[in-house]
mmCIF file of all heavy atoms in Angstrom:
data_model
loop_
_atom_site.group_PDB
_atom_site.id
_atom_site.type_symbol
_atom_site.label_atom_id
_atom_site.label_comp_id
_atom_site.label_asym_id
_atom_site.label_seq_id
_atom_site.Cartn_x
_atom_site.Cartn_y
_atom_site.Cartn_z
ATOM 1 N N GLY A 411 9.440 59.187 -90.507
ATOM 2 C CA GLY A 411 8.817 58.472 -89.404
ATOM 3 C C GLY A 411 8.081 59.372 -88.441
ATOM 4 O O GLY A 411 7.174 58.928 -87.730
ATOM 5 N N ASN A 412 8.436 60.637 -88.398
ATOM 6 C CA ASN A 412 7.929 61.544 -87.378
ATOM 7 C C ASN A 412 7.236 62.742 -88.005
ATOM 8 O O ASN A 412 7.789 63.394 -88.898
ATOM 9 C CB ASN A 412 9.087 62.031 -86.507
ATOM 10 C CG ASN A 412 9.781 60.894 -85.798
ATOM 11 O OD1 ASN A 412 9.321 60.414 -84.770
ATOM 12 N ND2 ASN A 412 10.897 60.419 -86.363
ATOM 13 N N GLY A 413 6.045 63.016 -87.525
ATOM 14 C CA GLY A 413 5.332 64.177 -88.012
ATOM 15 C C GLY A 413 3.833 63.973 -88.007
ATOM 16 O O GLY A 413 3.340 62.842 -88.019
ATOM 17 N N PHE A 414 3.103 65.079 -87.953
ATOM 18 C CA PHE A 414 1.644 65.042 -88.023
ATOM 19 C C PHE A 414 1.154 66.425 -88.425
ATOM 20 O O PHE A 414 1.905 67.402 -88.414
ATOM 21 C CB PHE A 414 1.029 64.615 -86.683
ATOM 22 C CG PHE A 414 1.308 65.560 -85.534
ATOM 23 C CD1 PHE A 414 0.449 66.616 -85.244
ATOM 24 C CD2 PHE A 414 2.432 65.399 -84.736
ATOM 25 C CE1 PHE A 414 0.695 67.494 -84.190
ATOM 26 C CE2 PHE A 414 2.694 66.265 -83.682
ATOM 27 C CZ PHE A 414 1.831 67.312 -83.407
ATOM 28 N N TYR A 415 -0.116 66.488 -88.802
ATOM 29 C CA TYR A 415 -0.737 67.765 -89.145
ATOM 30 C C TYR A 415 -1.453 68.310 -87.917
ATOM 31 O O TYR A 415 -2.313 67.632 -87.336
ATOM 32 C CB TYR A 415 -1.723 67.588 -90.304
ATOM 33 C CG TYR A 415 -1.128 66.854 -91.478
ATOM 34 C CD1 TYR A 415 -1.536 65.557 -91.785
ATOM 35 C CD2 TYR A 415 -0.134 67.435 -92.264
ATOM 36 C CE1 TYR A 415 -0.974 64.866 -92.845
ATOM 37 C CE2 TYR A 415 0.428 66.747 -93.325
ATOM 38 C CZ TYR A 415 0.011 65.458 -93.609
ATOM 39 O OH TYR A 415 0.572 64.776 -94.648
ATOM 40 N N SER A 416 -1.081 69.497 -87.522
ATOM 41 C CA SER A 416 -1.815 70.142 -86.445
ATOM 42 C C SER A 416 -3.223 70.457 -86.933
ATOM 43 O O SER A 416 -3.510 70.414 -88.139
ATOM 44 C CB SER A 416 -1.113 71.429 -86.019
ATOM 45 O OG SER A 416 -1.196 72.394 -87.051
ATOM 46 N N ARG A 417 -4.074 70.786 -86.006
ATOM 47 C CA ARG A 417 -5.433 71.184 -86.393
ATOM 48 C C ARG A 417 -5.386 72.350 -87.378
ATOM 49 O O ARG A 417 -6.105 72.359 -88.385
ATOM 50 C CB ARG A 417 -6.230 71.559 -85.141
ATOM 51 C CG ARG A 417 -7.728 71.749 -85.383
ATOM 52 C CD ARG A 417 -8.442 72.101 -84.088
ATOM 53 N NE ARG A 417 -9.882 71.997 -84.252
ATOM 54 C CZ ARG A 417 -10.655 72.967 -84.768
ATOM 55 N NH1 ARG A 417 -10.102 74.114 -85.164
ATOM 56 N NH2 ARG A 417 -11.966 72.781 -84.889
ATOM 57 N N LYS A 418 -4.505 73.303 -87.118
ATOM 58 C CA LYS A 418 -4.354 74.455 -88.001
ATOM 59 C C LYS A 418 -3.860 74.028 -89.376
ATOM 60 O O LYS A 418 -4.355 74.517 -90.402
ATOM 61 C CB LYS A 418 -3.372 75.448 -87.372
ATOM 62 C CG LYS A 418 -3.133 76.692 -88.196
ATOM 63 C CD LYS A 418 -2.134 77.631 -87.517
ATOM 64 C CE LYS A 418 -1.850 78.854 -88.389
ATOM 65 N NZ LYS A 418 -0.830 79.733 -87.746
ATOM 66 N N ASP A 419 -2.879 73.123 -89.413
ATOM 67 C CA ASP A 419 -2.372 72.610 -90.694
ATOM 68 C C ASP A 419 -3.494 71.973 -91.504
ATOM 69 O O ASP A 419 -3.618 72.207 -92.712
ATOM 70 C CB ASP A 419 -1.292 71.546 -90.462
ATOM 71 C CG ASP A 419 0.007 72.106 -89.928
ATOM 72 O OD1 ASP A 419 0.270 73.298 -90.132
ATOM 73 O OD2 ASP A 419 0.758 71.328 -89.302
ATOM 74 N N PHE A 420 -4.271 71.140 -90.841
ATOM 75 C CA PHE A 420 -5.303 70.387 -91.544
ATOM 76 C C PHE A 420 -6.372 71.320 -92.098
ATOM 77 O O PHE A 420 -6.841 71.147 -93.230
ATOM 78 C CB PHE A 420 -5.916 69.344 -90.615
ATOM 79 C CG PHE A 420 -6.780 68.338 -91.325
ATOM 80 C CD1 PHE A 420 -6.243 67.478 -92.267
ATOM 81 C CD2 PHE A 420 -8.137 68.241 -91.054
ATOM 82 C CE1 PHE A 420 -7.029 66.543 -92.925
ATOM 83 C CE2 PHE A 420 -8.934 67.313 -91.703
ATOM 84 C CZ PHE A 420 -8.382 66.460 -92.648
ATOM 85 N N ILE A 421 -6.741 72.312 -91.317
ATOM 86 C CA ILE A 421 -7.724 73.287 -91.800
ATOM 87 C C ILE A 421 -7.176 74.027 -93.018
ATOM 88 O O ILE A 421 -7.896 74.264 -93.991
ATOM 89 C CB ILE A 421 -8.107 74.260 -90.666
ATOM 90 C CG1 ILE A 421 -8.979 73.531 -89.632
ATOM 91 C CG2 ILE A 421 -8.828 75.488 -91.214
ATOM 92 C CD1 ILE A 421 -9.288 74.344 -88.396
ATOM 93 N N GLU A 422 -5.893 74.354 -92.993
ATOM 94 C CA GLU A 422 -5.281 75.018 -94.145
ATOM 95 C C GLU A 422 -5.315 74.110 -95.375
ATOM 96 O O GLU A 422 -5.596 74.567 -96.491
ATOM 97 C CB GLU A 422 -3.841 75.407 -93.824
ATOM 98 C CG GLU A 422 -3.166 76.171 -94.947
ATOM 99 C CD GLU A 422 -1.744 76.584 -94.611
ATOM 100 O OE1 GLU A 422 -1.398 76.649 -93.411
ATOM 101 O OE2 GLU A 422 -0.961 76.847 -95.549
ATOM 102 N N ILE A 423 -5.032 72.831 -95.181
ATOM 103 C CA ILE A 423 -5.095 71.871 -96.287
ATOM 104 C C ILE A 423 -6.515 71.805 -96.847
ATOM 105 O O ILE A 423 -6.719 71.818 -98.068
ATOM 106 C CB ILE A 423 -4.625 70.482 -95.809
ATOM 107 C CG1 ILE A 423 -3.115 70.490 -95.575
ATOM 108 C CG2 ILE A 423 -5.004 69.397 -96.820
ATOM 109 C CD1 ILE A 423 -2.589 69.258 -94.858
ATOM 110 N N LEU A 424 -7.496 71.744 -95.951
ATOM 111 C CA LEU A 424 -8.887 71.672 -96.384
ATOM 112 C C LEU A 424 -9.293 72.920 -97.163
ATOM 113 O O LEU A 424 -9.985 72.836 -98.189
ATOM 114 C CB LEU A 424 -9.802 71.487 -95.177
ATOM 115 C CG LEU A 424 -9.691 70.165 -94.414
ATOM 116 C CD1 LEU A 424 -10.589 70.187 -93.182
ATOM 117 C CD2 LEU A 424 -10.045 68.987 -95.305
ATOM 118 N N GLN A 425 -8.880 74.076 -96.691
ATOM 119 C CA GLN A 425 -9.233 75.317 -97.376
ATOM 120 C C GLN A 425 -8.574 75.388 -98.750
ATOM 121 O O GLN A 425 -9.206 75.798 -99.731
ATOM 122 C CB GLN A 425 -8.818 76.513 -96.515
ATOM 123 C CG GLN A 425 -9.667 76.655 -95.252
ATOM 124 C CD GLN A 425 -9.141 77.716 -94.306
ATOM 125 O OE1 GLN A 425 -7.933 78.009 -94.281
ATOM 126 N NE2 GLN A 425 -10.019 78.294 -93.504
ATOM 127 N N TYR A 426 -7.328 74.972 -98.819
ATOM 128 C CA TYR A 426 -6.598 74.961 -100.088
ATOM 129 C C TYR A 426 -7.285 74.039 -101.089
ATOM 130 O O TYR A 426 -7.440 74.375 -102.266
ATOM 131 C CB TYR A 426 -5.168 74.495 -99.818
ATOM 132 C CG TYR A 426 -4.190 74.709 -100.944
ATOM 133 C CD1 TYR A 426 -3.441 75.881 -101.019
ATOM 134 C CD2 TYR A 426 -3.979 73.732 -101.902
ATOM 135 C CE1 TYR A 426 -2.511 76.078 -102.030
ATOM 136 C CE2 TYR A 426 -3.054 73.921 -102.931
ATOM 137 C CZ TYR A 426 -2.327 75.092 -102.990
ATOM 138 O OH TYR A 426 -1.413 75.272 -103.998
#
Side-chain angles (χ1 to χ4, degrees):
N412 299 279
F414 63 90
Y415 310 109
S416 68
R417 190 179 192 277
K418 180 181 177 183
D419 289 337
F420 192 63
I421 288 174
E422 183 179 339
I423 288 169
L424 293 176
Q425 290 172 333
Y426 193 91

